[in-house]
Amino acid sequence: MRVLLVDDEERFVSVLAKRLRLRGFQADFVCKGEDALRAAEEGRYDLALLDIKMPGMGGLELRRRLAGIAPGMRFVFVTGHGSQGDYETGRAEGCPYIAKPFEIEELIETIGGLGAASDSGKGGEG
Amino acid sequence: MTSDAGVNGEERVRFLGRVIASVSHELKNALATVSESAGLISDILRDPAPSEQDAAEVRVCAEAVADELRRSFGIIGRLNAFAHSADHAIAEVEVRGLVDLTAALAGYLSFASPVRIMDTGDGEVRIETSPLQLEDLVYRLLESAFRLRHRGSEVRVAVRGVEGGAEIRLSELGRYRLDDLLSEESRHLVGVLGGHLLLDAEVGELGIRLPHRIRSRSGA
């Protein structure tokens, strides 16, 4: 499964990408919405993990634009706020929502809940 | 000491809530990196014979944990300093330090652009005012700056002592209409602080002139 991680916290997102790779995902990361759009135009991703609050283009706008580029792409929102407002926003967008900090198993379970993990080559433990 | 300022309690609580929300967001980001770095170390150490590259990765993770903990302590220190600004309704404050702290707190807003505190070399500028409400006003102005200025632009904030008090000047904000910069509540805050606004469209600066001593509601 090809996963694109988008979060302005570079250290966080780079380590998360490594941990997902160790678990068989093909994970790339970028720190800006504009870079995510470029990445989606250049490569095919099954899923994008989007930080809701980022400077410039936030996760909500990015989701809409990515969906226009890659109609089959699925999304998971990530946020450090964890507010009721964010939760409701994620639900209104029809996307799962996960609050930082989280256990990687929780993320993988969330991805699995989208029904995307089994059909995309996610391998065994790294 | 009783409050002598004209901003209601609900407004004050709202300000505290906004600051705490953005600070906790920043703290969660730092802790999320700590959590992921610790997780990666754990992942690597599952291998009974880690490679040299793995060992280097563990070192990088350990450094990241240390850095993020330093960042967290910095955030908590600022939050603590901010919390103490509510200790007294009126107190003597060092304006540059107060603005510096407020700019750091506002910098945690998810939509923040870089803000640089311009060093005027003016030394300490002390006035007697309402610390919490002055922080509220500066925070509101920085929020406006972040919303109005394009991403990556710089807003310089300068503090200087002037005859009768202190002046805070924010670059770029003088290019906007006051209605776009400050809500009615924010303008009310300026009045509560006994200050007045100076809009210098020519150089694009917004100034807030504050009295050396805030006048209490009772007139004392």
Side-chain angles (χ1 to χ4, degrees):
Chain A
M1 170 181 239
R2 289 202 70 184
V3 182
L4 180 62
L5 311 176
V6 191
D7 195 305
D8 60 315
E9 287 282 324
E10 184 171 359
R11 216 173 220 164
F12 165 77
V13 76
S14 65
V15 175
L16 183 58
K18 281 177 192 165
R19 297 193 73 201
L20 286 172
R21 280 183 216 126
L22 285 173
R23 285 161 174 79
F25 290 87
Q26 293 177 56
D28 297 324
F29 73 90
V30 292
C31 298
K32 289 180 188 167
E34 293 80 1
D35 294 339
L37 295 174
R38 254 191 303 279
E41 278 165 1
E42 289 166 7
R44 197 185 74 77
Y45 290 94
D46 303 296
L47 182 135
L49 191 76
L50 309 177
D51 185 12
I52 291 185
K53 310 259 181 177
M54 291 187 284
M57 194 189 309
L60 298 179
E61 182 188 347
L62 182 57
R63 188 200 78 84
R64 289 180 196 123
R65 293 179 67 174
L66 285 173
I69 295 170
M73 192 185 277
R74 279 162 276 198
F75 302 94
V76 175
F77 286 123
V78 175
T79 180
H81 279 270
S83 66
Q84 183 68 17
D86 279 352
Y87 172 73
E88 283 164 7
T89 300
R91 278 180 61 116
E93 293 283 323
C95 302
Y97 156 101
I98 190 165
K100 289 182 194 171
F102 51 79
E103 296 294 328
I104 197 157
E105 290 76 17
E106 186 188 351
L107 173 62
I108 291 171
E109 198 175 302
T110 303
I111 292 172
L114 292 170
S118 59
D119 61 350
S120 53
K122 175 187 160 301
E125 295 289 309
Chain B
M1 181 180 285
T2 56
S3 166
D4 51 0
V7 173
N8 67 39
E10 195 179 320
E11 270 303 309
R12 291 181 193 205
V13 172
R14 201 173 293 154
F15 171 52
L16 293 173
R18 290 207 314 280
V19 171
I20 291 166
S22 64
V23 169
S24 62
H25 174 239
E26 188 76 1
L27 206 47
K28 274 189 176 184
N29 275 331
L31 293 177
T33 303
V34 170
S35 172
E36 288 308 315
S37 299
L40 183 55
I41 291 172
S42 176
D43 289 346
I44 290 168
L45 294 181
R46 274 187 201 152
D47 187 337
S51 65
E52 268 187 39
Q53 193 184 334
D54 288 339
E57 193 79 76
V58 167
R59 275 195 295 277
V60 169
C61 285
E63 281 166 19
V65 167
D67 282 351
E68 295 298 324
L69 288 176
R70 271 192 291 275
R71 175 183 171 194
S72 301
F73 285 126
I75 295 165
I76 290 167
R78 288 182 196 105
L79 185 60
N80 187 261
F82 172 67
H84 281 296
S85 44
D87 286 351
H88 302 288
I90 307 286
E92 185 183 87
V93 299
E94 200 287 295
V95 183
R96 183 171 288 115
L98 181 145
V99 168
D100 202 355
L101 172 65
T102 310
L105 294 170
Y108 298 148
L109 287 162
S110 59
F111 52 88
S113 306
V115 172
R116 186 165 70 90
I117 306 297
M118 192 165 73
D119 181 10
T120 56
D122 206 14
E124 291 192 343
V125 180
R126 293 191 172 273
I127 60 171
E128 195 176 285
T129 191
S130 163
L132 191 63
Q133 291 181 31
L134 181 53
E135 285 165 348
D136 191 353
L137 177 63
V138 173
Y139 196 87
R140 285 165 190 254
L141 283 165
L142 292 173
E143 278 182 308
S144 295
F146 297 149
R147 289 187 198 284
L148 293 167
R149 299 298 297 164
H150 61 84
R151 184 179 174 192
S153 67
E154 189 176 70
V155 175
R156 295 182 311 282
V157 187
V159 176
R160 64 186 182 121
V162 294
E163 182 75 30
E167 189 176 281
I168 302 169
R169 292 184 81 88
L170 296 101
S171 72
E172 310 303 328
L173 298 195
R175 303 183 195 287
Y176 300 92
R177 294 181 326 125
L178 270 180
D179 284 350
D180 296 329
L181 284 172
L182 289 167
S183 66
E184 201 175 311
E185 284 159 357
S186 305
R187 289 189 199 194
H188 181 58
L189 260 179
V190 176
V192 165
L193 291 164
H196 61 274
L197 297 169
L198 311 158
L199 205 59
D200 190 339
E202 201 170 307
V203 292
E205 284 188 347
L206 173 72
I208 311 157
R209 188 73 64 94
L210 297 159
H212 186 63
R213 178 170 292 175
I214 191 171
R215 183 179 293 179
S216 72
R217 187 185 277 177
S218 61

